[in-house]
Amino acid sequence: MAKLSEKIGYALGDAASGGITWKLMSIAFPLYFTNVFGLSFADAAALMLIARMFDVVTDPLMGSLADRTQSRWGTYRPWLIFGAVPFGLIFALLFYTPDIAPEFKRVYAYTFYLLMMLIYTMVNVPYGSLLGVMTEDDNEKNEFSSFRMVGAYAMGFITLLAFPYIQKAIGDHTAAGLSAEEVQLIQQKQYAIIGAIFGLIATIMTLACGLMTKERVKMKRAESFSFKQFADLFKNKPWIYLTIIGICTNFFNGFRYAVAGYMFEYCLHGDVTLGGFIINYTVFMALGEVTCMIFGAVSPIFTAKVGSKRKAFMYASLICAILSVLFFFIPMNPDYMWAMVALVILTSVGIGLYSPLLWSMYADVADFATAKFGASSTGLIFSSGTMSQKFGGAISGSLIALLLGLAGATMMTDEFGNQIIDPASITDSVRTMVWCLFSLIPAAIALIMAWLSWIFPLKK
C-alpha cells in the first residue's frame, strides 16, 4: 500500500508537466507567438504541425527506450530525476524573445519548440508509465491517477490565476501613453520572466516526483528492441480505441485553451474587471481548473457509483458536449461574463471526471497488452497517451490559426518589422469563428468521445 507522501510525489509530476508547462504552452503560446514573439499565422501553424510529425516518431521510440531502461533508480524514475533541469531550462528559453532579425527569430522559435517537445517526451512518457509499475491494485491505480489530475489542475489554477498579476508586477503594458514599441518590449520582458519563474518551479516538482515515488511491480521486460512491439499495438483493439479517445480529449481542451486569448482580445475587447477582480483569458480558464481539481478527486467515487470506467467517461463527455453547446448562445458581451464563467466551471465538472479515467484506462490497456503479447510494453502504451496529448493540443492550435485565416484574419508588418494581426481584419465572421472554436466545435468532439467510450472493449 503506497503512502500518502508517494501519491503527493506522483501528483507533483503532472503539476509540473500538465499544470505548468503544458498549460502555458496550450493557452499562452498561440497568442504569444503571433502577438508578442512576432510569428505569422502561417509560421505558427507550420511550427506546431512540424512538431507533431516529430512527436509521431519520438514518443513511441521514447516509450520503447524507457521500457528497456535499467538503473539503480529503476526503469522510469531516472528519466524524471535527470531530465528535470533541462525540462525547466528549455521551457524558460522558449518564452524568451531574442533581439535578432525576423528570419533568425523564426529559427529560434522552431529550434526551441522542437527541443521542448523532445524533452517533454523524455520526461512525460516515463512519468505516465510509472502508474503501471507503482502498484498492481486497480483501485490504487485509480487513486494515483486521481492524485495526478488533482496536482495538474491545482497547479494549473495557480499558474493561470497568477499569470496576469505577475505580468502587471513586471510592467503594465496596458498603461496609457505607451508607444507600440514600449508595449512590445514590456510584453517580451513579462513572458521571459514568467518563463524563468515557472521553469524553475517545474524543475523542482519534476525532480521531487522522481525522488518520492517507487517502482514495485517487476516487469516482463523485452530486453532487445523489436518492431514487433509496434506492430502489436495495431493488433491491440483497446489501444486503438483509447488512442483516438485521447486525441479527442486533447482536441476538446486544445481548441478551448488556445482560442481563449483570441476570445478575450477580439470578442470581449480585452480584460474584464468585476468588482476589482481581473478576468483575462488565463484567469478565465483557471476558474475551471478549480472545478477540474475537485471533480478529479471525486472521479473514483463517481466511477464506482456508475459501475465502470467507460460508462463514467461517457457521462462526463456528455456533460462537456451539452454545456459547450449552451456556451455558444451567450452574447459576445462582457456584461455576460458571469454566465460565461458559470458554464466554464460546469463544463469543467465533466473534464475533471474523465481526466483521471483516461490514464487509469491506459494502465488497463498496458495490462491487457502484457497478458496478450507476453512482454511488457507499458512505456510504449503510455507514450501514445503523451503523443495524443501533444498531437491534439498542437494540431488544435494550428487549426485555430488556419481557421481564423480562412474566416478573414490577416497579418501585417508593423513599423518595427514584426508580424502582427491586422486589427482591421477582425470582422464579425472572425469573431463568430472564435466563438465556435470555444463552443460548438469542442461540443462535437465531446460527442465523439462519448460514443467511443461507450463501445470501448475493456469493461472495467
Side-chain angles (χ1 to χ4, degrees), residues 120-379:
Y120 189 93
T121 295
M122 290 174 64
V123 168
N124 209 247
V125 169
Y127 168 71
S129 303
L130 264 177
L131 183 60
V133 296
M134 288 192 294
T135 178
E136 290 182 314
D137 183 80
D138 199 49
N139 289 328
E140 197 166 35
K141 284 179 184 177
N142 285 344
E143 289 178 13
F144 269 111
S145 189
S146 182
F147 267 84
R148 171 183 183 166
M149 289 300 103
V150 170
Y153 287 124
M155 195 62 212
F157 169 73
I158 293 169
T159 301
L160 298 180
L161 186 67
F163 195 92
Y165 295 97
I166 297 174
Q167 278 186 306
K168 186 158 281 191
I170 295 166
D172 186 2
H173 67 276
T174 63
L178 294 176
S179 67
E181 184 178 17
E182 288 171 328
V183 169
Q184 188 176 56
L185 288 173
I186 291 171
Q187 287 183 310
Q188 289 174 356
K189 182 180 177 182
Q190 288 172 339
Y191 279 92
I193 294 175
I194 285 171
I197 291 170
F198 285 111
L200 177 62
I201 296 171
T203 293
I204 294 169
M205 287 182 166
T206 302
L207 180 61
C209 176
L211 296 174
M212 293 172 69
T213 50
K214 295 180 181 179
E215 298 182 23
R216 297 178 179 83
V217 179
K218 188 170 178 61
M219 300 169 56
K220 282 184 176 181
R221 192 185 304 274
E223 298 295 348
S224 59
F225 178 85
S226 171
F227 283 105
K228 181 179 180 298
Q229 279 194 304
F230 294 90
D232 286 343
L233 284 178
F234 295 94
K235 299 175 186 177
N236 187 334
K237 191 175 178 182
W239 174 81
I240 294 171
Y241 276 84
L242 195 59
T243 298
I244 298 171
I245 291 171
I247 290 171
C248 286
T249 63
N250 288 288
F251 270 135
F252 179 84
N253 289 324
F255 278 120
R256 296 169 74 252
Y257 278 107
V259 83
Y262 294 115
M263 187 172 73
F264 267 78
E265 184 153 346
Y266 302 129
C267 299
L268 303 176
H269 310 295
D271 298 354
V272 179
T273 302
L274 296 175
F277 183 56
I278 302 172
I279 301 180
N280 75 339
Y281 69 102
T282 62
V283 174
F284 184 68
M285 299 306 292
L287 296 171
E289 297 290 299
V290 177
T291 311
C292 288
M293 176 184 68
I294 294 168
F295 283 87
V298 170
S299 183
I301 301 169
F302 176 70
T303 303
K305 192 79 173 173
V306 169
S308 73
K309 295 175 187 177
R310 68 185 185 91
K311 285 184 181 179
F313 202 105
M314 182 191 70
Y315 294 141
S317 299
L318 289 173
I319 291 171
C320 293
I322 293 166
L323 293 169
S324 294
V325 170
L326 291 177
F327 191 97
F328 177 77
F329 295 100
I330 299 176
M332 295 182 203
N333 190 315
D335 292 342
Y336 293 87
M337 178 53 64
W338 285 122
M340 298 176 205
V341 168
L343 280 181
V344 163
I345 289 172
L346 290 172
T347 304
S348 297
V349 170
I351 300 171
L353 290 173
Y354 75 59
S355 293
L357 292 171
L358 183 68
W359 295 104
S360 182
M361 290 160 76
Y362 270 115
D364 294 339
V365 170
D367 292 342
F368 172 84
T370 301
K372 185 174 177 65
F373 302 110
S376 172
S377 56
T378 301

Side-chain angles (χ1 to χ4, degrees), residues 51-66 117-122 124-126 129 230 379-391:
R52 294 298 64 74
M53 299 307 104
F54 185 62
D55 291 334
V56 167
V57 177
T58 59
D59 281 35
L61 286 177
M62 183 63 225
S64 186
L65 176 61
M117 290 298 96
L118 181 61
I119 191 64
Y120 189 93
T121 295
M122 290 174 64
N124 209 247
V125 169
S129 303
F230 294 90
L380 186 58
I381 296 290
F382 274 91
S383 74
S384 61
T386 304
M387 183 177 68
S388 66
Q389 180 185 35
K390 292 189 289 185
F391 184 87

Side-chain angles (χ1 to χ4, degrees), residues 35 41 266 408-413 419-427:
N35 289 28
F41 271 131
Y266 302 129
T410 59
M411 303 297 293
M412 61 177 286
T413 302
Q419 289 287 310
I420 62 171
I421 296 172
D422 184 357
S425 70
I426 306 303
T427 60

